[in-house]
């Protein structure tokens, strides 16, 4: 070990650069020399995110180690104002902050973070009384996410505050339906740099013709928006309403009801936005109702809907160049997986459920010559068929064997992912 410590620091840092976050943290615990090397090297921690909670546990050496690594992204769970004050003292240069289960009605302490660019407030247990805390961040925020929170202010007050964030490129606003927005034209006229918008759309009325049109602009104005997600969607729409979205490349629709109404409004979206490269549909009408409207430009498709094998055949005709497919039908996918190599030969990534899929059909995916990543979405099993309540949330021995066989048959070209659960490291690992 002593001889190893004589190696140049640059060589060790090169070795450490190949380690995962957890392995880096383990390595710094082996000796004071490695701890010094790891903590003092800022490039090693680029992109590192840490979860903080129960601030009373953290001492000065803990905070000093975070400061030395120049940690730029923090998720604060069940926090209060005093926690933000302490955080701003040690990590004033944060560029990304997530407040999960915020416990107070205000967040005025955010003004202490003068370099903050990404802010996420999620699942607050206490309603936010006033959105004016955003005003102190109006010259720096580029990404804002307000998800599953209660706001006691009127909708116009919230829109007025958000409209001041003129540098925003990404905005997410997910709520319980208590906020009603007749149009987005006002806020879109101020957020000229916006590229990504994710919005809760609980309304049953026809969207106004200027819903997406920036206020005080000509009717042929085109937004810079390239990615749009609509949650709880069940609104009627016209082609005129969608004209400002001609630059849209990605559309995600999460329908309000699993049992759809008599009219499929998605057909209007698809016929109006034939330039889409990515489409994600969750719920709503069966695929057969709108499959003939799919844009030929699609490269990525997510289908969490009711579908039949013949529907996929039509999809393959409408979108012949598909490279990324997430297939999660409401019914069993046992008779669908075997069709994929023939219908979508250009697939590079595939996400499916494997329950009720035969071994033969699973292994036929080796025929996808361009496939490099297969994600299995239901990597759990029930060891005892007589006890359905006993569920083991890890890959079954059968799935592990199938994955190994598939990788062997493809000379390890295909990477099989059996879990998509990825959390940032908690403070317990620091």
């Amino acid at each position: 070990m002593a001889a190893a410590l004589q190696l140049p620091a640059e060589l060790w840092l090169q070795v450490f650069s190949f380690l995962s976050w957890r392995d880096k943290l383990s390595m710094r615990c082996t000796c004071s020399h490695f701890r010094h090397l790891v903590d003092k090297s800022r490039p090693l921690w680029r992109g590192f995110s840490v979860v903080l909670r129960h601030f009373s546990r953290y001492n000065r050496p803990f905070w000093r180690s975070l400061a030395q690594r120049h940690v730029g992204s923090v998720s604060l769970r069940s926090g209060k104002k005093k926690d933000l004050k302490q955080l701003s003292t040690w990590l004033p240069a944060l560029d990304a902050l997530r407040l999960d289960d915020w416990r107070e009605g205000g967040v005025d302490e955010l003004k202490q973070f003068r370099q903050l660019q990404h802010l996420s407030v999620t699942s607050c247990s206490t309603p936010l009384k006033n959105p004016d805390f955003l005003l102190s961040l109006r010259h720096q925020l580029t990404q804002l996410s307000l998800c599953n929170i209660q706001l006691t202010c009127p909708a116009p007050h919230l829109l007025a505050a958000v409209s001041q964030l003129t540098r925003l490129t990404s905005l997410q606003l997910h709520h319980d339906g208590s906020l009603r927005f007749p149009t987005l034209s006002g806020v879109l006229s101020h957020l000229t740099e916006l590229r990504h918008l994710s919005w809760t759309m609980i309304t049953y009325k026809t969207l106004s013709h200027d819903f997406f049109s920036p206020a005080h602009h000509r009717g042929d104005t085109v937004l810079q928006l390239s990615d749009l997600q609509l949650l709880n969607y069940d609104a009627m729409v016209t082609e005129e309403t969608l004209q400002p979205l001609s630059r849209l490349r990605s559309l995600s629709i999460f329908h309000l009801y699993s049992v759809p109404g008599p009219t499929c409004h998605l057909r209007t979206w698809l016929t109006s936005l034939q330039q889409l490269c990515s489409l994600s549909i969750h719920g709503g009408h069966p695929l057969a109702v709108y499959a003939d409207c799919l844009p030929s430009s699609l490269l990525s498709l997510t289908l969490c809907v009711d579908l039949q094998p013949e529907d996929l055949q039509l999809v393959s005709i409408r979108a012949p160049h598909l490279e990324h497919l997430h297939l999660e039908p409401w019914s069993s996918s046992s008779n669908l997986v075997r069709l994929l190599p023939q219908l979508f030969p250009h697939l590079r990534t595939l996400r499916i459920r494997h329950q009720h899929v035969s071994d033969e059909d699973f292994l036929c995916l080796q025929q996808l010559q361009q496939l490099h990543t297969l994600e299995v979405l239901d990597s759990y099993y029930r060891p005892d068929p007589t006890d359905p309540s006993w569920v083991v949330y890890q890959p079954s021995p059968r799935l592990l064997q199938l994955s190994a066989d598939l990788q062997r048959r493809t000379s390890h070209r295909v990477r099989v992912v059996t879990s998509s659960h990825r959390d940032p490291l908690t403070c317990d690992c620091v």
Side-chain angles (χ1 to χ4, degrees), residues 7-165:
L7 293 176
E10 294 78 6
L11 181 58
W12 279 118
L13 292 177
Q14 179 67 18
V15 173
F16 295 156
S17 68
F18 292 98
L19 300 180
S20 66
W21 299 128
R22 293 186 184 278
D23 288 341
K24 290 174 187 175
L25 292 171
S26 298
M27 185 60 66
R28 70 181 293 276
C29 294
T30 58
C31 67
S32 59
H33 178 65
F34 283 170
R35 176 178 298 179
H36 176 80
L37 285 180
V38 170
D39 282 351
K40 292 292 186 179
S41 176
R42 186 172 184 176
L44 281 181
W45 300 100
R46 187 174 292 117
F48 178 71
S49 179
V50 62
V51 178
L52 302 178
R53 52 191 170 189
H54 308 309
F55 271 47
S56 60
R57 299 185 302 170
Y58 307 144
N59 54 23
R60 293 180 66 86
F62 169 85
W63 287 111
R64 191 178 298 114
S65 69
L66 293 186
Q68 287 176 340
R69 296 177 221 165
H70 300 277
V71 171
S73 177
V74 166
S75 178
L76 174 57
R77 294 183 178 175
S78 305
K80 296 184 177 181
K81 294 181 179 180
K82 62 180 182 179
D83 299 329
L84 276 183
K85 291 180 180 179
Q86 188 173 5
L87 186 61
S88 66
T89 300
W90 287 98
L91 300 174
L94 278 183
D95 56 54
L97 177 61
R98 173 182 172 128
L99 303 179
D100 191 7
D101 188 24
W102 181 249
R103 297 299 181 94
E104 301 201 25
V107 207
D108 294 335
E109 286 69 24
L110 289 175
K111 62 186 177 184
Q112 303 298 327
F113 300 95
R114 301 186 182 279
Q115 298 183 40
L116 191 65
Q117 297 185 39
H118 305 166
L119 174 63
S120 176
V121 185
T122 64
S123 304
C124 292
S125 56
T126 302
L128 290 178
K129 301 176 181 178
N130 194 326
D132 289 348
F133 68 88
L134 296 172
L135 300 182
S136 62
L137 307 172
R138 61 184 179 275
H139 298 305
Q140 58 196 75
L141 274 191
T142 59
Q143 296 183 20
L144 173 64
S145 177
L146 302 176
C147 298
N148 300 325
I149 63 174
Q150 301 179 51
L151 290 164
T152 57
C153 66
H157 189 180
L158 174 62
L159 288 185
V162 172
S163 296
Q164 298 295 315
L165 309 176

Side-chain angles (χ1 to χ4, degrees), residues 134-198:
L134 296 172
L135 300 182
S136 62
L137 307 172
R138 61 184 179 275
H139 298 305
Q140 58 196 75
L141 274 191
T142 59
Q143 296 183 20
L144 173 64
S145 177
L146 302 176
C147 298
N148 300 325
I149 63 174
Q150 301 179 51
L151 290 164
T152 57
C153 66
H157 189 180
L158 174 62
L159 288 185
V162 172
S163 296
Q164 298 295 315
L165 309 176
T166 55
R167 293 191 60 199
L168 280 187
T169 60
S170 175
L171 172 61
Q172 296 185 34
L173 180 57
H174 302 168
H175 57 89
D176 59 3
S178 57
L179 297 173
R180 300 292 180 176
F181 303 95
T183 178
L184 296 181
S185 61
V187 68
L188 291 177
S189 65
H190 292 87
L191 305 183
T192 57
E193 301 298 320
L194 200 63
R195 300 293 187 273
H196 168 78
L197 176 63
S198 183

Side-chain angles (χ1 to χ4, degrees), residues 267 270 286-294 311 314-315 318:
R267 291 184 62 88
L270 297 179
L287 176 60
V289 178
Y290 53 86
D292 61 323
C293 298
L294 292 177
D311 302 330
L314 180 54
V315 171
R318 293 291 304 177

Side-chain angles (χ1 to χ4, degrees), residues 138-412:
R138 61 184 179 275
H139 298 305
Q140 58 196 75
L141 274 191
T142 59
Q143 296 183 20
L144 173 64
S145 177
L146 302 176
C147 298
N148 300 325
I149 63 174
Q150 301 179 51
L151 290 164
T152 57
C153 66
H157 189 180
L158 174 62
L159 288 185
V162 172
S163 296
Q164 298 295 315
L165 309 176
T166 55
R167 293 191 60 199
L168 280 187
T169 60
S170 175
L171 172 61
Q172 296 185 34
L173 180 57
H174 302 168
H175 57 89
D176 59 3
S178 57
L179 297 173
R180 300 292 180 176
F181 303 95
T183 178
L184 296 181
S185 61
V187 68
L188 291 177
S189 65
H190 292 87
L191 305 183
T192 57
E193 301 298 320
L194 200 63
R195 300 293 187 273
H196 168 78
L197 176 63
S198 183
W199 201 267
T200 299
M201 290 278 300
I202 302 180
T203 180
Y204 313 99
K205 301 178 181 179
T206 302
L207 298 184
S208 63
H209 70 279
D210 62 345
F211 189 87
F212 293 110
S213 298
H216 313 302
H217 288 257
R218 302 188 313 272
D220 58 351
T221 299
V222 175
L223 296 173
Q224 300 297 318
L225 208 61
S226 60
D227 182 8
L228 177 63
Q229 296 179 354
L230 298 178
L231 279 66
N232 297 337
Y233 180 80
D234 195 35
M236 296 180 62
V237 68
T238 64
E239 293 185 5
E240 181 183 8
T241 304
L242 302 179
Q243 282 183 356
L245 301 177
S246 62
R247 293 187 179 179
L248 204 64
R249 294 296 178 266
S250 177
L251 174 66
S252 299
I253 300 288
F254 297 79
H255 284 93
L256 180 58
Y257 296 114
S258 57
V259 179
T263 304
C264 180
H265 309 306
L266 184 58
R267 291 184 62 88
T268 305
W269 283 87
L270 297 179
T271 55
S272 302
L273 303 174
Q274 285 291 304
Q275 76 285 357
L276 288 177
C277 296
S278 177
L279 177 65
S280 180
I281 306 298
H282 301 255
H285 287 79
L287 176 60
V289 178
Y290 53 86
D292 61 323
C293 298
L294 292 177
S296 60
S297 54
L298 282 181
L299 298 177
S300 177
L301 180 61
T302 295
L303 294 172
C304 300
V305 300
D306 182 18
L307 60 90
Q308 301 299 324
E310 56 268 24
D311 302 330
L312 283 186
Q313 294 177 356
L314 180 54
V315 171
S316 69
I317 296 174
R318 293 291 304 177
H321 307 296
L322 207 62
E323 297 180 357
H324 312 281
L325 179 62
H326 174 179
L327 198 59
E328 207 165 349
W330 289 358
S331 56
S332 172
S333 57
S334 60
N335 58 345
L336 300 176
V337 172
R338 72 185 67 158
L339 302 175
L340 300 182
Q342 177 183 357
L343 297 179
F344 306 106
H346 305 295
L347 284 184
R348 299 173 61 82
T349 65
L350 176 62
R351 305 178 72 196
I352 59 171
R353 293 185 177 275
H354 84 293
Q355 303 287 349
H356 309 299
V357 175
S358 70
D359 294 4
E360 180 182 0
D361 288 348
F362 188 92
L363 294 175
C364 81
L365 296 176
Q366 66 180 302
Q367 300 172 24
L368 290 166
Q369 297 299 315
Q370 305 301 319
L371 189 68
H372 61 71
T373 302
L374 170 65
E375 183 171 346
V376 180
L377 301 169
D378 53 351
S379 53
Y380 62 87
Y381 68 103
R382 293 179 170 84
D384 186 358
T386 64
D387 184 8
S389 63
W390 183 14
V391 181
V392 178
Y393 290 98
Q394 62 183 29
S396 66
R398 170 181 175 263
L399 177 57
L400 292 176
Q401 185 61 52
L402 282 173
S403 300
D405 289 346
L406 181 63
Q407 290 178 308
R408 178 176 54 81
R409 295 187 181 194
T410 60
S411 300
H412 293 273

